[in-house]
Amino acid sequence: MFRTNTCGELRLENAGQKVTLAGWVQRIRKMGGMTFVDLRDRYGITQVVFNNEIDAPLCEKANKLGREFVIQVTGTVSERSNKNKNIPTGEIEIVADSLRILNPSEVPPFTIEDDTDGGDDLRMKYRYLDLRRTPVRKNLELRHRMTMEVRRYLDSKGFLEIETPMLVGSTPEGARDFVVPSRMNPGQFYALPQSPQTLKQLLMVSGMDRYFQIVKCFRDEDLRADRQPEFTQIDCEMSYVEQDDIINLFEGMAKHLFKTIRGIELTEPFIRMPWADAMKYYGSDKPDMRFDMRFVELMDILKGYGFSVFDDAAYIGGICAKGAASYTRKQIDQLTEFVKRPQIGAKGMVYARVEPDGTVKSSVDKFYSQEVLQKMKEAFNAEPGDLILILSGDDAMKTRKQLCELRLEMGSRLGLRDKDKFACLWVVDFPMFEWSDEEQRLMAMHHPFTHPKDEDIAMLDTDPASVRADAYDMVINGVEVGGGSIRIHDSKLQAKMFEILGFTPEKAQEQFGFLMNAFKFGAPPHGGLAYGLDRWVSLFAGLDSIRDCIAFPKNNSGRDVMLDAPAALDQKQLDELQLALDLKDK
Amino acid sequence: MFRTNTCGELRLENAGQKVTLAGWVQRIRKMGGMTFVDLRDRYGITQVVFNNEIDAPLCEKANKLGREFVIQVTGTVSERSNKNKNIPTGEIEIVADSLRILNPSEVPPFTIEDDTDGGDDLRMKYRYLDLRRTPVRKNLELRHRMTMEVRRYLDSKGFLEIETPMLVGSTPEGARDFVVPSRMNPGQFYALPQSPQTLKQLLMVSGMDRYFQIVKCFRDEDLRADRQPEFTQIDCEMSYVEQDDIINLFEGMAKHLFKTIRGIELTEPFIRMPWADAMKYYGSDKPDMRFDMRFVELMDILKGYGFSVFDDAAYIGGICAKGAASYTRKQIDQLTEFVKRPQIGAKGMVYARVEPDGTVKSSVDKFYSQEVLQKMKEAFNAEPGDLILILSGDDAMKTRKQLCELRLEMGSRLGLRDKDKFACLWVVDFPMFEWSDEEQRLMAMHHPFTHPKDEDIAMLDTDPASVRADAYDMVINGVEVGGGSIRIHDSKLQAKMFEILGFTPEKAQEQFGFLMNAFKFGAPPHGGLAYGLDRWVSLFAGLDSIRDCIAFPKNNSGRDVMLDAPAALDQKQLDELQLALDLKDK
C-alpha cells in the first residue's frame, strides 16, 4: 500500500501521527521559507508543508513539482495555524519529511478545478483528466450510490437480478437497431437490445415472478443532449399484479431513493394524473409540477366578439403568471418572440394584466368589454398584479403544446423550477395507440405488448383510437424518468394487437413468434416498468445533460473522441465476417 | 394483486386463514371424491384440495385442469392428514372454494420436473419452460445472491461501480472482436469490449481510486462448454496498491462469498503458489488442490538402467494414488488408454504397486532392482497398498500436462473431487511472456499492460523469456475463477513492452495511444483483477457447464435457438449501414 491514509480523512485528533499520503498535486504555493502543496485524491485535499529551514533539499524538491504530479509524502499530522473552514481536513496539515515522485505529469490541457477553462471537445478528448474534477467525479459517485440503493430496495422486495443477453435478434419495428455480424453464421446478424422487453416477459412466463436488471440498452438514433446510443435502464417486471401494485411498489422505490440519496422524505402519495388531464391542463404527458399555472380554456368566454384570431380558433387557452403584471413591454415582446420561434410555432400571443384596482388591461381591449375580461379573470382566479398569457390555434393539441412551452418558460423566469425541489407524479391511462402521419397507421404509443384497459377492450374493433392502456409514466420535474404497463399475457389478444398495428400474421409470427408461442404454455398476468438511469441520475445531480453522469459518453456523432471510435476495420476482419463496405459517398 | 400469499409461505400456524394463491399446476391427482392439485410458483409448492361432495361443479372444473395451467385459487388453510415432510408447506393444504383459470396451457414439450425428459436442444428452444424447473431456477437465484454480495462487499470497501461503454474501438490483438457497424460514421465500426481493461486503467488515471463493475464482455471465439460469446466479468481495479494489497482484499471477498452464499467459513489464508511450482508439482497453472497427489520427479532415480523410454526422456515423473494398488489389470489398462488419447497424447504409462510387505512390483521390473524401486517408493512416501503411476517424455512441459490429466482422472476415480468441498489458492509469479509457435514471437501471457516484477525488469533486455510478472490467478478446485496483475503506469515502460511484443511505435500509438498519452498526465500505480462470474456461479452451483447459470445461453454455433438469432437483415438495414454481404460459400 502506498499510503496509510487518504487525503480526505485526517483531522485534528490525528495530530502527532506519522502518516503517508499519496495523490495528485493540486496546487503549490511558496510563502517565505515554506512550500505548501495541496495534495488531492478521490477522498479530499490535504495540505502538505515543506520547510526550507528544516530540510532545504526536500523543500527544493517540492518546489520543482508540477500540477498533477503523482507523489507520495510521509510526514507528521500537525495543527494548522491558518485553518481552512471550507474543507474537512482544513484544521491540519502534514509536515513532510520525505517526498517521492511516483509519476510526473505534463501540463494538463485544461485546469483541473471545479470551474475549468476546458471546452467540451477538449474535456471529452481528455475525459480521464476531466473525471478528476470534483463535480464530474461526484456525479459518478452519485450514480454508484443510486444503483446500490435500487438493488438494495428491489432485493428486499424479492426481485431477482437476471442478466438477459446482449446479442439478440433484430426487430425492424420501433427504433433502429445496432447490429452485430456473426462470423460463425455468415450473412446473419445479431442485434443489440433496445430494451430487454420481450426477454423479461419470457422470464415471467418462466415463473421468475419478480425480475429486475440494471442494463445497457442501445438505439441507433440521431443524438441530442439527453440521448446516447447506449444508455442504461433499470428494467423491472412482476407477475400476478395489477397496475396499482406496480405503481405502489415503485413509488416506494422512488421514495427510498429520495430519502437515501437526497435526504428528502416524501410522505404524500404521488399524484396520479390521467393522460387526458395532463394534456388538457399542462399540454404535456410529462408536466413539471413544481409549479401549478395550469391551463384555463377560454373558448366559452372569448369567442364571438369579433376578434377573428379567437373566433376562428379550435382552441383558446391561457395561463396566469402570478405577480408578473409588472412585466415591461420589452419582456412581453420577448415572450411573444419565444412562442413564435419555429421550434414552438405559435402565431402570436395575447396578454392581459390585472391592475391594482382589479380591472383587466389586455392587448385586445378593443374587442372585449371589461365585463368579459372580468369573467376571464375569474376563470383564472387571477388577482391584482397577475399576468395572463393566451395562445390560440386551429389544432387544439398543437396549441396546448405551445402553451406548455410558454408555461415552462414562465416557470423558469419566475424562479419556480428550483433544481433542489422535486415534484413527482404518475401519468396514467395513456391512449393505447397514436396515429402516425408518416406511417399512415396506428402505432402503439407504449409498445405492442401493452394491455388495453379491460373496459376498453370492446372498442378495439369499433374505435381503436379511443382505447386506453394500462400504461403509466413516472414524471419528476417535467422529466419522464420511467414508464411501463401491464402486458398482454393472452396469445389471442396479442395476435389481435399485432393485427391492429398492421402486422400480417406471418410477419407477427416471424418477429414475435417466440413470445406468442410462449404465451401458449401458461403465461401469468404480468407487468412492469423501466427507468432511464442516466436521466434519473442527472435529475438528482441537477444536470442539464445526461453526459456528465456517464463516465465515457459519446458525442453527437456517436463518436468516442477519447478512444477515437468507431474506426475502420482491418480488411482481414471484414473478410472473416464475409462483409464488404458499400459506401455511397466515396 | 392476484394473491394474498405465495405458494411457499403457508405453514401450520396459518391454519384457518382464508387465502388466495396463484401459480402453475404442477400435478393433479384424483383420490376417491377428492382432487389434489400441486400449485407451484417460484417460492414453493402448496397442495390445493377440491372435494366433490362439498362442491361438485368446482371439483369438476379442477379435474379439467392440465399441467402448467395458470390458476388462481381461494380457500382455507387446513392441516393435512397426510403430511409431506419433504416440503416446507407439507403440513397444510388449501381447501378450495373458488378456482379461476388465468391462462390455460398446451401440453409442454417436456416434463417440468427436477429431472426432465427434455434433451438439451428442446430445453434450449423452450428455455422459458426449462427455467421453470427448480434446479435451473435455483442457479439464477444463486447468481443474483452472489452479485448482491459482491456489490455489498466491494461497496463496503469503498469501490465505485462505474459503467464503461459497450461500443468501443476494435483492437486486433488478443481474441477476435465482435464489431458493430456505425450508421452515422459509414465504413467505420465499433467493437464490443473483450474486457474493460484499458478503460478501467483510465479510471485509475482519473483518480477513481477503487473501481468495479459487473459487466458483459464479448469474444468471438469458437465455443465449448465453458465458453459463451458473451460472458460476465466482475471487473476490479485499485490505485496506490501493491500485489499483496489486492490479493488480501479479494481473498476477503472470496471468503465473504463462501460464508454468505455457501455457509462455509474459510479461516486459513489461501495458499500462494508460484507458477513455477504449480507447473512442477501439478503440471497446471490451475491445480485442483482438493487432493494432494503432487508430482515426484524421477529423473535421478530411474535414468540409466537400460530402459530406453526413460533413458531418452527429458522428463520422468509420477504420482502416488493412495490405496489404489488393488486396481485390476483392466483398470490400469483403462488408465493407459486414457493417457494415450489424442487430447492427452502420452505414449504409454508405467505403474508400480506397493505390496502389503512393502516390496514394489512394477510394470518395468526387468529393468529395475528392488533397491531402485524402494528408492522410488521413498521419493513418493508411498505405503503398502499405494499405486504409483509414471509418465515420461521428451518435452518436460508437455509431459507434466499429461501427468496433470492423469492426476485429475485419478482424483475423480478415488472420489477426491467432491463438489461440495472447496480448495482455494493463488497462483503467483506468472511469467511475463510465453513463446507463440504460431506467431513466432513472445506474447504477453496475461496482457501487455502487466507490470514485470521490479527485480526482473533488467532482464527485459537480456532475457525477456525469464521475466516474471506481478500477475496472479485465483484458483478454486482446479478452475481459474479470476486473475489480474499490477499494471504498468509508466508510459516509457509501456512503450518498451509493446516493442518486445513486436509492435512498431506507430502501431502501438495507433492502437493504444490513448492509454500511453493518459500515462503522461500523472498515472498512479495501480492494479486489479477480474473474475469470471459465470464460472464462479457454476462452481458454487456444482455445475459442469456455465450454461445453466445463464438465463438465455447460446449454443456451440453461437445461436440463440429460442429467439432464432442471429438472422438475416432486411436489405434496408444493410443499405442504411452502407454494407454488403460478401459470402464465399454461396
Side-chain angles (χ1 to χ4, degrees):
Chain A
M1 200 67 95
F2 284 77
R3 63 193 177 202
T4 57
N5 297 81
T6 71
C7 296
E9 69 178 308
L10 294 169
R11 300 287 183 275
L12 202 50
E13 68 249 35
N14 303 106
Q17 286 177 16
K18 187 92 165 188
V19 297
T20 302
L21 300 186
W24 287 264
V25 172
Q26 174 77 26
R27 212 176 283 112
I28 306 175
R29 280 158 296 140
K30 285 172 72 169
M31 282 174 68
M34 314 282 268
T35 297
F36 296 94
V37 172
D38 282 351
L39 192 63
R40 186 197 70 233
D41 66 13
R42 181 183 121 197
Y43 311 95
I45 286 184
T46 297
Q47 178 166 294
V48 181
V49 59
F50 298 85
N51 189 331
N52 198 43
E53 283 186 20
I54 293 171
D55 189 339
L58 187 70
C59 195
E60 183 55 24
K61 195 172 171 189
N63 286 338
K64 287 186 184 146
L65 294 173
R67 276 190 175 230
E68 300 306 318
F69 273 45
V70 182
I71 63 170
Q72 184 185 39
V73 172
T74 298
T76 307
V77 182
S78 311
E79 182 167 4
R80 265 162 84 160
S81 51
N82 207 346
K83 293 195 173 58
N84 179 349
K85 294 267 152 82
N86 298 321
I87 57 173
T89 59
E91 295 196 298
I92 57 100
E93 62 191 0
I94 310 299
V95 180
D97 51 39
S98 84
L99 166 64
R100 182 176 157 206
I101 297 174
L102 297 173
N103 219 344
S105 173
E106 291 185 7
V107 176
F110 50 85
T111 56
I112 295 172
E113 305 269 3
D114 288 6
D115 290 312
T116 181
D117 55 353
D120 260 13
D121 292 350
L122 207 55
R123 287 175 48 213
M124 286 302 139
K125 182 168 177 199
Y126 297 92
R127 183 63 165 172
Y128 46 84
L129 298 180
D130 194 35
L131 289 174
R132 284 187 193 163
R133 295 170 52 234
T134 304
V136 187
R137 193 195 67 236
K138 280 196 181 302
N139 295 336
L140 297 190
E141 290 172 347
L142 172 71
R143 188 180 180 110
H144 165 74
R145 279 186 293 127
M146 277 186 71
T147 55
M148 282 300 297
E149 288 304 331
V150 166
R151 288 191 164 98
R152 247 189 273 272
Y153 180 85
L154 292 176
D155 179 61
S156 80
K157 300 291 180 193
F159 284 76
L160 299 176
E161 185 161 26
I162 300 175
E163 292 177 65
T164 53
M166 290 280 131
L167 298 172
V168 297
S170 184
T171 52
E173 290 300 302
R176 208 182 279 107
D177 285 322
F178 280 104
V179 297
V180 181
S182 166
R183 177 184 56 88
M184 289 211 267
N185 301 275
Q188 301 193 332
F189 293 74
Y190 304 99
L192 300 177
Q194 295 184 25
S195 96
Q197 180 61 36
T198 51
L199 290 161
K200 70 177 172 176
Q201 292 192 246
L202 290 178
L203 287 173
M204 294 303 103
V205 174
S206 74
M208 289 302 156
D209 206 74
R210 295 186 165 199
Y211 144 94
F212 83 103
Q213 190 181 190
I214 301 185
V215 61
K216 275 281 173 74
C217 301
F218 303 85
R219 272 179 215 176
D220 184 10
E221 292 178 309
D222 298 325
L223 305 175
R224 33 175 224 234
D226 65 343
R227 275 210 193 140
Q228 285 276 310
E230 51 179 300
F231 56 97
T232 305
Q233 234 171 247
I234 306 171
D235 193 50
C236 310
E237 198 79 2
M238 304 170 75
S239 290
Y240 299 114
V241 289
E242 283 145 345
Q243 175 169 310
D244 274 0
D245 303 315
I246 297 176
I247 285 185
N248 290 337
L249 195 136
F250 287 93
E251 187 167 316
M253 185 174 97
K255 287 176 173 171
H256 176 79
L257 291 177
F258 270 103
K259 188 174 168 184
T260 53
I261 304 295
R262 290 284 321 218
I264 295 172
E265 192 113 25
L266 299 175
T267 49
E268 296 296 307
F270 294 0
I271 305 164
R272 297 190 193 179
M273 188 183 291
W275 177 87
D277 285 358
M279 297 311 294
K280 181 174 178 187
Y281 295 121
Y282 304 98
S284 167
D285 57 4
K286 40 180 191 282
D288 184 347
M289 299 300 289
R290 279 174 295 187
F291 62 108
D292 189 17
M293 214 186 278
R294 63 151 67 184
F295 298 178
V296 172
E297 283 195 20
L298 302 168
M299 298 283 279
D300 292 346
I301 299 173
L302 297 184
K303 270 211 171 208
Y305 294 93
F307 180 44
S308 65
V309 171
F310 284 177
D311 287 353
D312 301 341
Y315 177 86
I316 312 167
I319 53 174
C320 173
K322 300 305 280 178
S326 59
Y327 262 39
T328 61
R329 179 75 212 193
K330 193 178 157 199
Q331 285 173 301
I332 288 184
D333 285 350
Q334 283 171 348
L335 289 176
T336 307
E337 278 158 37
F338 173 82
V339 296
K340 287 169 80 174
R341 294 189 313 174
Q343 308 95 296
I344 297 182
K347 295 233 175 69
M349 183 185 79
V350 167
Y351 68 90
R353 295 191 174 94
V354 186
E355 304 286 342
D357 63 1
T359 58
V360 175
K361 186 134 184 48
S362 89
S363 56
V364 286
D365 274 0
K366 62 175 163 177
F367 298 104
Y368 296 101
S369 65
Q370 190 59 225
E371 191 187 347
V372 175
L373 293 175
Q374 286 297 323
K375 243 201 264 177
M376 178 180 81
K377 182 181 92 172
E378 278 157 31
F380 283 104
N381 277 322
E383 294 170 330
D386 292 352
L387 177 69
I388 290 166
L389 302 171
I390 302 169
L391 298 184
S392 64
D394 51 15
D395 179 319
M397 216 43 131
K398 277 188 189 158
T399 311
R400 285 195 183 104
K401 284 177 184 168
Q402 295 160 357
L403 194 54
C404 168
E405 296 294 336
L406 181 61
R407 174 180 175 270
L408 293 174
E409 174 68 15
M410 281 311 299
S412 297
R413 285 176 178 243
L414 297 174
L416 302 173
R417 303 179 73 192
D418 180 352
K419 284 185 172 168
D420 288 320
K421 197 180 142 188
F422 295 95
C424 311
L425 77 155
W426 292 97
V427 176
V428 296
D429 301 348
F430 274 77
M432 185 72 217
F433 306 102
E434 59 188 338
W435 179 259
S436 164
D437 284 337
E438 195 184 332
E439 303 263 339
Q440 282 293 305
R441 64 172 173 95
L442 289 177
M443 310 274 282
M445 189 175 250
H446 195 62
H447 54 54
F449 315 110
T450 304
H451 199 285
K453 287 211 168 287
D454 282 330
E455 59 268 36
D456 292 1
I457 285 182
M459 284 196 294
L460 281 174
D461 292 314
T462 55
D463 181 14
S466 296
V467 172
R468 293 164 307 154
D470 285 328
Y472 33 83
D473 278 356
M474 188 193 278
V475 175
I476 305 179
N477 292 3
V479 175
E480 179 214 321
V481 292
S485 62
I486 297 293
R487 328 297 183 185
I488 296 168
H489 63 279
D490 178 88
S491 54
K492 287 192 210 78
L493 184 57
Q494 187 65 68
K496 183 180 198 79
M497 198 57 65
F498 283 130
E499 188 193 324
I500 295 171
L501 292 169
F503 283 70
T504 61
E506 296 71 35
K507 188 88 185 162
Q509 187 61 35
E510 184 195 321
Q511 282 186 27
F512 297 109
F514 62 94
L515 187 67
M516 289 195 291
N517 289 342
F519 284 174
K520 292 177 185 158
F521 295 102
H526 63 285
L529 81 181
Y531 288 99
L533 177 65
D534 308 291
R535 280 198 198 161
W536 204 340
V537 176
S538 319
L539 197 78
F540 271 15
L543 297 170
D544 294 317
S545 154
I546 60 170
R547 279 202 193 139
D548 268 344
C549 69
I550 296 172
F552 301 108
K554 307 256 185 310
N555 72 9
N556 277 347
S557 315
R559 296 198 67 81
D560 184 320
V561 293
M562 179 186 73
L563 298 177
D564 197 22
L569 284 191
D570 283 358
Q571 186 60 41
K572 184 175 161 237
Q573 285 174 286
L574 286 173
D575 290 344
E576 283 185 331
L577 296 170
Q578 307 192 28
L579 278 183
L581 302 183
D582 181 26
L583 300 179
K584 283 156 201 155
D585 315 311
K586 283 229 166 157
Chain B
M1 199 68 93
F2 284 76
R3 64 191 175 201
T4 57
N5 296 81
T6 70
C7 295
E9 68 179 309
L10 294 170
R11 300 285 184 276
L12 202 49
E13 68 249 34
N14 303 106
Q17 286 177 18
K18 187 94 166 186
V19 298
T20 301
L21 300 186
W24 287 263
V25 172
Q26 175 78 27
R27 210 176 284 113
I28 306 175
R29 278 159 294 140
K30 285 173 69 170
M31 282 172 70
M34 314 280 269
T35 297
F36 296 93
V37 172
D38 283 352
L39 191 63
R40 186 195 71 232
D41 66 11
R42 182 183 120 198
Y43 310 95
I45 286 185
T46 296
Q47 179 167 292
V48 181
V49 58
F50 298 85
N51 190 329
N52 198 42
E53 285 185 20
I54 294 172
D55 189 340
L58 187 69
C59 195
E60 183 55 26
K61 193 171 173 190
N63 286 338
K64 287 186 185 149
L65 294 174
R67 278 193 173 228
E68 302 305 319
F69 274 44
V70 181
I71 63 171
Q72 185 185 39
V73 172
T74 298
T76 308
V77 183
S78 311
E79 183 167 3
R80 266 163 84 160
S81 51
N82 207 346
K83 295 196 172 59
N84 179 348
K85 293 268 152 82
N86 298 320
I87 57 173
T89 61
E91 294 195 298
I92 59 101
E93 62 192 2
I94 311 299
V95 178
D97 52 39
S98 84
L99 166 63
R100 181 177 159 208
I101 296 174
L102 298 173
N103 218 344
S105 173
E106 292 185 5
V107 176
F110 50 84
T111 56
I112 295 172
E113 305 270 1
D114 289 7
D115 289 313
T116 180
D117 56 352
D120 261 14
D121 292 349
L122 207 56
R123 287 175 48 214
M124 287 301 137
K125 183 167 176 200
Y126 296 92
R127 181 64 166 174
Y128 45 84
L129 297 181
D130 194 34
L131 289 174
R132 284 188 193 163
R133 295 170 51 234
T134 304
V136 187
R137 193 197 67 236
K138 279 195 180 304
N139 295 336
L140 298 189
E141 289 173 347
L142 172 73
R143 189 179 179 111
H144 164 74
R145 281 187 290 127
M146 276 186 72
T147 56
M148 282 299 297
E149 288 304 332
V150 166
R151 288 190 164 98
R152 247 191 272 273
Y153 181 85
L154 292 175
D155 180 61
S156 79
K157 300 290 179 192
F159 284 75
L160 299 176
E161 185 160 26
I162 300 174
E163 292 177 66
T164 53
M166 289 281 133
L167 299 171
V168 298
S170 183
T171 51
E173 290 298 303
R176 208 183 280 108
D177 284 323
F178 280 104
V179 298
V180 181
S182 167
R183 178 184 55 89
M184 287 210 268
N185 302 275
Q188 300 193 331
F189 294 74
Y190 304 99
L192 300 177
Q194 296 185 25
S195 97
Q197 181 60 36
T198 51
L199 290 160
K200 70 177 173 176
Q201 293 191 244
L202 290 176
L203 287 173
M204 293 303 103
V205 175
S206 74
M208 290 300 155
D209 206 72
R210 294 184 167 201
Y211 144 94
F212 83 102
Q213 190 181 190
I214 301 185
V215 62
K216 275 282 173 74
C217 301
F218 303 84
R219 272 179 214 175
D220 184 10
E221 293 177 310
D222 298 323
L223 306 175
R224 31 174 228 237
D226 63 343
R227 276 211 193 138
Q228 284 276 311
E230 50 179 302
F231 55 96
T232 305
Q233 232 170 249
I234 307 169
D235 194 51
C236 310
E237 199 79 2
M238 306 169 74
S239 290
Y240 300 115
V241 288
E242 285 146 343
Q243 175 169 313
D244 274 0
D245 303 315
I246 297 176
I247 284 185
N248 290 337
L249 195 136
F250 286 93
E251 188 167 314
M253 184 174 97
K255 286 176 174 173
H256 176 79
L257 290 177
F258 270 103
K259 189 173 165 183
T260 53
I261 304 295
R262 290 283 322 217
I264 296 172
E265 192 112 27
L266 300 174
T267 49
E268 297 294 307
F270 294 179
I271 305 164
R272 297 191 193 178
M273 188 184 291
W275 178 87
D277 285 357
M279 297 311 293
K280 184 175 175 185
Y281 294 122
Y282 304 97
S284 167
D285 57 4
K286 41 179 190 286
D288 183 345
M289 299 300 289
R290 280 175 291 186
F291 62 108
D292 189 18
M293 212 187 279
R294 63 151 68 183
F295 298 177
V296 172
E297 282 196 19
L298 301 167
M299 298 284 279
D300 292 346
I301 297 172
L302 297 183
K303 270 211 169 205
Y305 292 93
F307 179 45
S308 65
V309 170
F310 283 179
D311 287 354
D312 300 343
Y315 176 85
I316 312 167
I319 55 174
C320 174
K322 301 305 280 180
S326 59
Y327 263 40
T328 61
R329 180 72 215 193
K330 192 177 157 198
Q331 284 174 303
I332 288 183
D333 285 349
Q334 283 172 349
L335 290 175
T336 307
E337 277 158 37
F338 174 83
V339 297
K340 286 168 84 173
R341 293 189 314 176
Q343 309 93 298
I344 299 184
K347 296 235 174 66
M349 184 186 78
V350 166
Y351 67 91
R353 292 190 174 95
V354 184
E355 304 286 342
D357 64 358
T359 58
V360 175
K361 186 133 184 45
S362 86
S363 58
V364 287
D365 273 0
K366 63 175 166 177
F367 298 105
Y368 295 100
S369 65
Q370 189 59 226
E371 192 189 344
V372 174
L373 295 174
Q374 285 296 323
K375 245 200 264 177
M376 178 180 82
K377 182 180 93 172
E378 278 158 32
F380 282 104
N381 276 322
E383 294 170 332
D386 292 353
L387 176 68
I388 291 167
L389 302 170
I390 301 169
L391 298 183
S392 65
D394 51 15
D395 179 319
M397 216 44 130
K398 277 188 188 157
T399 310
R400 283 194 184 104
K401 285 177 183 169
Q402 294 160 357
L403 194 53
C404 168
E405 296 295 336
L406 180 61
R407 174 179 174 271
L408 293 175
E409 173 68 16
M410 281 311 299
S412 296
R413 285 176 178 244
L414 296 175
L416 303 173
R417 304 180 72 192
D418 180 352
K419 282 184 174 172
D420 287 321
K421 197 180 142 187
F422 295 95
C424 311
L425 77 155
W426 293 96
V427 176
V428 297
D429 302 349
F430 274 76
M432 186 71 218
F433 306 102
E434 59 187 339
W435 179 258
S436 163
D437 283 338
E438 194 185 331
E439 301 264 338
Q440 283 292 306
R441 64 172 174 96
L442 288 178
M443 309 275 281
M445 187 176 251
H446 195 61
H447 55 54
F449 315 110
T450 305
H451 200 285
K453 287 209 168 289
D454 282 330
E455 59 267 38
D456 291 1
I457 286 181
M459 285 196 294
L460 282 174
D461 292 313
T462 55
D463 182 14
S466 297
V467 172
R468 292 165 307 155
D470 285 329
Y472 34 82
D473 278 356
M474 187 192 277
V475 174
I476 305 180
N477 292 3
V479 175
E480 180 212 320
V481 290
S485 62
I486 296 294
R487 327 297 184 185
I488 296 168
H489 63 278
D490 177 88
S491 55
K492 286 191 211 79
L493 183 57
Q494 187 65 67
K496 186 184 196 78
M497 198 57 65
F498 284 129
E499 188 193 324
I500 295 171
L501 291 169
F503 283 68
T504 61
E506 296 71 34
K507 188 90 185 161
Q509 186 62 36
E510 185 194 319
Q511 283 188 23
F512 298 108
F514 63 94
L515 188 67
M516 290 196 290
N517 289 343
F519 284 175
K520 291 177 185 158
F521 294 101
H526 63 286
L529 82 181
Y531 288 99
L533 176 64
D534 308 289
R535 279 196 199 163
W536 204 340
V537 176
S538 318
L539 198 77
F540 271 15
L543 298 171
D544 294 317
S545 154
I546 60 170
R547 281 204 191 138
D548 268 345
C549 68
I550 296 172
F552 300 108
K554 307 262 187 303
N555 73 8
N556 278 346
S557 315
R559 295 198 69 80
D560 186 318
V561 292
M562 179 187 74
L563 299 176
D564 197 20
L569 283 191
D570 283 358
Q571 187 60 42
K572 183 175 163 236
Q573 285 175 287
L574 285 173
D575 290 346
E576 283 186 333
L577 296 170
Q578 305 191 29
L579 279 183
L581 303 183
D582 181 25
L583 300 179
K584 282 156 200 154
D585 315 312
K586 284 230 166 155

